[in-house]
């Protein structure tokens, strides 16, 4: 699980152009500057590419925080 | 695997690990920053990195930074999907091609209103061009009996609207058909299927764009290259109305950027080839004529033959070939002269540099010999160290990364699109010969001693004619492409040129030159407009740099002065408007004997005058006039 969080940190820093962001389970859109709907699309696309997974539209809009997202990635990777 | 060549822009070097740090450091730099931006943009950048770079450019702009030598361009962006993610990618990719792009966007779904209303955001946005980023979902009823004509009428109305109401040309996209067949294989011939209808729409669109001065972005071809099933992502359309899979956005953006660069006349013109392990397999100095691999039937040899065949195909469309090789000259020329399997021969190569100097020095001397800028050069070399050296020493030169397997050299080079062009004329076809002849002239000049006897030995013949329909395309092309020998850098479209032909108050000249080495084609264009009652102002004076230092400008002035006198004009007024490209002609009017009468402190322009009673001396060339009599009659 830690490797997922490390990679998520990398992607978050890249997408939001901020070296300070660290992925934690509680982190949510409201906590990050510039995380609007458009940035969310960029973030989801970057995750799909970075982890080699695909989300349906329903899944992509359902994550409430990074913890749920990390669990979603873990589930897809073990499937 | 080779789809990755496209998706990853693999002809570009990998992004530096400290990309974000380098990008941030840009804001601390003083002076013009365009070259640094371009260097950073010329890497394999992810969409995030491109977005960040675009943000930096926006920040630099609002801080008033000098983005030169990037050329400004304003692009209207309209379409039927979400384009907000794309806009910053276009800005950053344009930098890679020497363009400082500003994107003007519109409300989602307001296409026709944007085109039709002169007050719309796009039409009031002073756009140079509008990109019609439409995909098949913008064409309702596709497959219905009238859908082909409806679609063509719809796009025609958009193009006409932006032209009439905003003065912008359109960049028109072809349509990638959906990945799903409706009937099956017979879709190809059925207008009732999306594929059949879109095929016809694409053909008609391409034809109509070619007959206008709009430009074509062949998205159908881009999608074909990467595969339709890859290109269209139903998930991403549903998620955010992305018109195609975002994984291809950097590739698409690079295509838009190279097309804009071509519109601005910034395509590259010269392919400089390394020899050992680039044009043939092996090292000629070690392996000898029998040892190098270029034979048909040898898998390795055929890969290199493909590089040669591709170079020849480029040459046939006007790209100039040159050689830069670390070798002894006679050894390097051996295969060109004696190897039976070689496709390239010495007379295909305009400048042949085989020596032991570093490649940056050699490339500079190739540029000098051809009288072309370094930003017109592409350098193909299998050796990563040489590539890196040239990129660092001469960042203006394009240097594609090459994969380990020579079988993929051609695909990689061609995927980069360095030689993108928006039109192709007979003159283009001959261009490689022009430059080759010019290189011979430089060689002759070196041996001919003083300039006058050299010029006399050229047997130059100069042809003057007013603008006419026959020359229109080439005149418009010169007006849009000439940057260096261009006094005012005013751009006119083909339609503008047609108007100038008809305008009785305007005096125009197209100038051709032939010499002992061949036909140089049209080399100079002049437009004069009335300036008060007794003078002409030289609105446009440009010349091809191929014929520099040949006293052509002196003969053109002689022609101008005589024409001005015939029209009863007492003075010629010349204006020089400085750009970052035309320092070459800062002394143009001074050298021709004009007197400076004004300087504008804001844009640095200088204004010059010449009394038409001045006798301009003749230069060593024979003069021909196409329509002297017609013009004399008109003047009476």
């Amino acid at each position: 699980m830690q490797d997922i969080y490390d990679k998520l940190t990398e992607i978050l820093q890249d997408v939001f152009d901020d070296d300070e962001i660290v992925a934690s389970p509680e982190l949510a859109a409201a906590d990050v500057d510039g995380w609007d709907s458009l940035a969310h699309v960029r973030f989801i696309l970057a995750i799909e590419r970075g982890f080699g997974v695909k989300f349906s539209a329903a899944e992509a809009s359902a994550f409430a925080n990074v913890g749920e997202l990390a669990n979603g990635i873990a589930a897809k990777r073990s499937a | 695997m080779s789809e990755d060549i496209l998706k990853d822009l693999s002809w570009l070097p990998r992004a530096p690990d400290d990309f974000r740090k380098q990008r941030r450091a840009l804001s601390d730099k003083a002076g013009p920053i365009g070259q640094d931006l371009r260097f950073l943009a010329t890497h394999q950048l992810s969409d995030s990195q491109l977005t960040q770079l675009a943000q930096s450019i926006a920040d630099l702009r609002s801080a008033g930074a000098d983005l030169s030598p990037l050329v400004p361009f304003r692009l209207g962006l309209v379409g039927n999907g979400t384009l907000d993610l794309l806009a910053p990618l276009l800005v950053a990719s344009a930098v890679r091609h020497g363009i400082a792009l500003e994107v003007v966007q519109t409300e989602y779904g307001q296409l026709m209103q944007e085109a039709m209303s002169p007050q719309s955001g796009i039409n009031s946005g002073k756009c140079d061009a509008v990109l019609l980023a439409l995909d098949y979902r913008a064409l309702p009823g596709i497959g219905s009996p009238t859908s082909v004509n409806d679609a063509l009428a719809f796009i025609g109305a958009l193009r006409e609207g932006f032209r009439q109401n905003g003065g912008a040309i359109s960049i028109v996209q072809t349509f990638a058909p959906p990945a799903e067949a409706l009937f099956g294989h017979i879709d190809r011939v059925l207008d009732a299927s999306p594929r059949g209808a879109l095929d016809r729409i694409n053909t008609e669109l391409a034809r109509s764009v070619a007959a206008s001065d709009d430009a074509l972005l062949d998205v159908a071809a881009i999608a074909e290259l990467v595969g339709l099933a890859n290109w269209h992502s139903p998930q991403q359309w549903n998620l955010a109305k992305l018109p195609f899979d975002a994984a291809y956005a950097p590739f698409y953006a690079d295509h838009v950027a190279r097309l804009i660069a071509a519109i601005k006349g910034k395509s590259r013109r010269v392919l400089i080839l390394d020899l050992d392990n680039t044009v043939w397999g092996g090292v000629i100095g070690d392996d000898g004529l029998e040892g190098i691999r270029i034979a048909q039937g040898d898998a390795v040899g055929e890969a290199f033959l493909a590089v040669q065949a591709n170079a020849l195909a480029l040459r046939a469309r006007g790209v100039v070939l040159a050689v830069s090789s670390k070798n002894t000259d006679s050894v390097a020329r051996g295969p060109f002269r004696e190897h039976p399997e070689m496709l390239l021969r010495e007379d295909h190569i305009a400048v042949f540099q085989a020596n032991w100097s570093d490649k940056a020095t050699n490339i500079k001397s190739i540029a000098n010999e051809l009288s072309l800028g370094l930003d017109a050069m592409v350098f193909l070399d299998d050796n990563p160290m040489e590539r890196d050296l040239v990129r660092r020493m001469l960042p203006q030169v394009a240097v594609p990364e090459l994969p380990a397997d020579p079988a993929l050299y051609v695909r990689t080079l061609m995927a980069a699109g360095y030689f993108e062009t928006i039109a192709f004329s007979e003159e283009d076809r001959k261009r490689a010969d022009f430059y080759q002849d010019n290189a011979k002239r430089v060689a002759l000049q070196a041996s001919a001693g003083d300039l006058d006897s050299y010029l006399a030995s050229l047997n130059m013949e100069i042809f003057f004619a007013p603008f006419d329909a026959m020359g229109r395309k080439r005149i418009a092309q010169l007006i849009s492409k000439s940057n260096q020998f261009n006094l005012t850098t005013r751009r006119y479209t083909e339609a503008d040129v047609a108007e100038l032909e008809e305008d009785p108050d305007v005096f125009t000249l197209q100038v051709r030159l032939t010499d002992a080495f061949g036909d140089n084609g049209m080399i100079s264009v002049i437009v004069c407009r009335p300036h008060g009652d007794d003078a002409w102002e030289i609105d446009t004076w440009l010349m091809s740099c191929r014929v520099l230092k040949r006293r052509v400008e002196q003969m053109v002035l002689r022609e101008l002065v005589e024409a001005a006198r015939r029209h009863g004009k007492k003075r010629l007024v010349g204006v020089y408007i400085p750009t970052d490209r035309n320092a070459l002609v800062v002394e143009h009017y001074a050298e021709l004997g004009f007197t400076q009468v004004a300087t504008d402190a804001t844009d640095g322009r200088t204004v010059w005058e010449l009394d038409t009673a001045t006798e301009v001396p003749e230069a060593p060339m024979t003069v021909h006039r196409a329509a002297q009599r017609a013009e004399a009659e008109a003047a009476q």
Side-chain angles (χ1 to χ4, degrees):
Chain A
M1 209 59 186
Q2 189 53 44
D3 64 317
I4 292 184
Y5 278 95
D6 289 347
K7 182 130 198 169
L8 278 174
T9 297
E10 204 180 294
I11 292 174
L12 279 163
Q13 293 186 353
D14 192 35
V15 168
F16 296 100
D17 190 20
D18 181 347
D19 297 339
E20 310 294 316
I21 308 182
V22 177
S24 65
E26 301 77 33
L27 189 72
D31 306 325
V32 178
D33 230 15
W35 193 332
D36 54 18
S37 61
L38 208 59
H40 185 69
V41 171
R42 288 176 49 218
F43 179 51
I44 293 293
L45 295 174
I47 288 168
E48 288 192 337
R49 226 166 305 152
F51 288 96
V53 297
K54 290 274 183 204
F55 295 111
S56 70
E59 290 168 327
S61 43
F63 303 118
N65 56 36
V66 168
E68 291 184 17
L69 178 62
N71 291 336
I73 293 169
K76 283 203 184 273
R77 290 216 298 190
S78 62
Chain B
M1 127 118 220
S2 64
E3 178 239 351
D4 293 346
I5 291 181
L6 310 172
K7 188 172 66 183
D8 301 338
L9 279 58
S10 68
W11 58 91
L12 296 171
R14 284 184 188 288
D17 290 336
D18 60 346
F19 172 81
R20 264 187 287 167
K21 202 171 125 209
Q22 286 198 32
R23 181 176 59 76
R24 287 184 191 139
L26 289 173
S27 52
D28 303 329
K29 283 205 69 160
I33 202 153
Q35 203 70 262
D36 301 273
L37 279 171
R38 187 169 185 178
F39 181 80
L40 204 52
T42 309
H43 287 95
Q44 288 178 31
L45 302 182
S46 69
D47 47 0
S48 291
Q49 288 169 323
L50 289 166
T51 305
Q52 291 162 23
L53 190 59
Q55 185 59 49
S56 295
I57 293 163
D59 295 346
L60 285 164
R61 242 192 208 118
S62 51
D66 177 1
L67 298 187
S68 63
L70 302 178
V71 177
F73 195 92
R74 286 176 68 84
L75 180 74
L77 180 59
V78 299
N80 59 307
T82 302
L83 304 173
D84 297 347
L85 293 175
L86 218 44
L89 271 56
L90 295 177
V91 171
S93 304
V95 170
R96 187 181 291 147
H97 295 270
I99 304 288
L101 188 72
E102 288 183 83
V103 175
V104 181
Q105 273 189 273
T106 170
E107 296 294 313
Y108 181 79
Q110 303 298 306
L111 264 176
M112 199 50 89
Q113 293 91 318
E114 281 294 326
M116 291 309 159
S117 159
Q119 284 81 39
S120 73
I122 301 282
N123 283 334
S124 62
K126 296 194 169 58
C127 295
D128 297 291
V130 179
L131 173 59
L132 310 183
L134 303 171
D135 79 342
Y136 70 90
R137 300 175 190 90
L139 307 175
I142 196 79
S144 78
T146 60
S147 70
V148 169
N149 289 336
D150 290 350
L152 292 170
F154 170 60
I155 294 160
L158 291 176
R159 290 164 64 191
E160 195 54 32
F162 289 125
R163 175 182 305 269
Q164 293 291 336
N165 301 318
I169 62 163
S170 290
I171 298 177
V172 181
Q173 294 194 163
T174 55
F175 293 88
E180 302 80 13
L182 185 60
F183 298 86
H185 293 269
I186 202 171
D187 276 10
R188 181 70 75 183
V189 295
L190 290 182
D191 279 2
S193 78
R195 173 182 288 279
L198 292 168
D199 263 3
R200 266 192 50 207
I201 291 169
N202 287 343
T203 307
E204 294 300 324
L205 270 183
R207 200 171 286 157
S208 121
V209 168
S212 73
D213 61 356
D214 289 343
L216 189 73
L217 182 70
D218 195 356
V219 170
I222 296 176
E224 243 170 51
L225 278 171
V226 303
L228 285 176
N230 293 321
W231 179 256
H232 291 297
S233 165
Q235 296 101 323
Q236 292 185 25
W237 174 260
N238 295 344
L239 181 65
K241 300 286 170 284
L242 301 190
F244 55 86
D245 190 316
Y248 300 102
F251 183 55
Y252 168 91
D254 193 76
H255 272 268
V256 175
R258 62 178 75 156
L259 193 62
I260 290 171
I263 290 170
K264 294 301 280 182
K266 293 178 72 71
S267 317
R268 296 180 184 267
R269 299 174 178 193
V270 183
L271 176 62
I272 303 173
L273 298 160
D274 166 56
L275 296 179
D276 291 332
N277 286 315
T278 300
V279 158
W280 54 66
V283 176
I284 184 68
D286 298 337
D287 303 328
L289 266 181
E290 301 75 27
I292 60 169
R293 303 181 73 172
I294 30 171
Q296 289 285 359
D298 163 18
V300 175
E302 289 199 14
F304 292 103
L305 276 180
V307 172
Q308 297 196 18
N310 183 63
L312 283 176
L314 284 170
R315 187 179 184 278
R317 55 152 282 197
V319 173
V320 182
L321 302 182
V323 160
S324 172
S325 166
K326 279 190 176 156
N327 260 312
T328 303
D329 186 75
S330 59
V331 174
R333 287 177 191 265
F336 288 84
R337 291 175 175 164
E338 294 165 42
H339 201 295
E341 303 266 359
M342 281 284 287
L343 299 173
L344 285 169
R345 296 287 161 189
E346 267 181 299
D347 59 2
H348 296 132
I349 309 295
V351 184
F352 199 108
Q353 292 272 357
N355 53 44
W356 300 97
S357 316
D358 73 274
K359 297 225 168 177
T361 306
N362 275 332
I363 290 170
K364 265 194 277 187
S365 73
I366 289 171
N368 280 340
E369 203 154 328
L370 294 168
S371 316
L372 283 169
L374 287 166
D375 57 2
M377 309 283 145
V378 176
F379 174 54
L380 191 73
D381 195 319
D382 68 294
N383 183 330
M385 281 174 51
E386 300 285 12
R387 297 199 295 257
D388 191 58
L389 173 104
V390 172
R391 276 190 205 116
R392 283 176 197 287
M393 303 283 291
L394 309 174
Q396 307 94 319
V397 176
V399 187
E401 280 297 280
L402 287 177
D405 184 352
L408 293 171
Y409 282 3
V410 170
R411 185 164 298 175
T412 307
L413 169 67
M414 296 314 283
Y418 296 122
F419 308 108
E420 187 76 43
T421 183
I422 52 165
F424 182 66
S425 66
E426 202 43 43
E427 304 245 356
D428 292 319
R429 197 189 296 279
K430 293 185 189 149
R431 197 166 57 202
D433 290 324
F434 287 146
Y435 283 103
Q436 204 152 333
D437 290 344
N438 206 39
K440 279 188 208 147
R441 287 182 197 104
V442 173
L444 177 62
Q445 189 170 2
S447 65
D450 76 296
L451 185 64
D452 275 349
S453 57
Y454 160 68
L455 289 178
S457 74
L458 283 177
N459 298 326
M460 290 186 284
E461 299 191 44
I462 194 164
F463 299 78
F464 294 108
F467 287 5
D468 55 22
M470 195 114 80
R472 193 181 297 156
K473 203 167 196 94
R474 176 62 178 156
I475 290 167
Q477 198 182 32
L478 273 173
I479 286 176
S480 70
K481 280 188 178 173
S482 301
N483 294 310
Q484 298 182 78
F485 197 114
N486 193 337
L487 273 299
T488 54
T489 321
R490 294 192 175 112
R491 306 297 195 196
Y492 296 116
T493 63
E494 239 179 281
D496 298 333
V497 171
E499 274 178 36
L500 290 172
E501 288 165 23
E502 298 300 326
D503 191 332
D505 292 332
V506 173
F507 174 80
T508 61
L509 264 189
Q510 49 175 323
V511 187
R512 297 171 164 271
L513 188 78
T514 66
D515 63 32
F517 293 98
D519 186 353
N520 292 280
M522 192 183 301
I523 45 89
S524 188
V525 168
I526 310 283
V527 177
C528 293
R529 297 181 188 274
H531 182 93
D533 288 339
D534 67 337
W536 274 347
E537 177 174 335
I538 304 168
D539 172 279
T540 296
W541 186 336
L542 55 86
M543 192 174 84
S544 160
C545 291
R546 290 202 295 268
V547 298
L548 273 181
K549 309 278 178 208
R550 309 266 293 264
R551 298 232 206 119
V552 169
E553 52 275 43
Q554 181 184 329
M555 284 306 269
V556 169
L557 178 65
R558 194 180 151 87
E559 186 70 12
L560 257 182
V561 165
E562 283 175 16
R565 265 188 235 144
R566 274 204 307 282
H567 286 80
K569 306 296 177 191
K570 300 270 181 287
R571 292 173 300 134
L572 278 176
V573 177
V575 184
Y576 166 73
I577 306 175
T579 69
D580 52 17
R581 306 283 296 278
N582 72 351
L584 177 71
V585 288
V586 63
E587 294 297 326
H588 172 74
Y589 286 119
E591 281 163 7
L592 288 173
F594 282 60
T595 312
Q596 187 170 344
V597 295
T599 311
D600 186 326
T602 51
D603 65 358
R605 75 172 64 194
T606 52
V607 183
W608 305 76
E609 276 190 19
L610 183 76
D611 190 324
T612 55
T614 310
E615 231 11 90
V616 183
E618 251 184 295
M621 58 189 84
T622 313
V623 176
H624 302 273
R625 290 186 187 85
Q628 194 175 31
R629 198 182 311 151
E631 199 223 318
E633 281 163 10
Q636 278 162 10

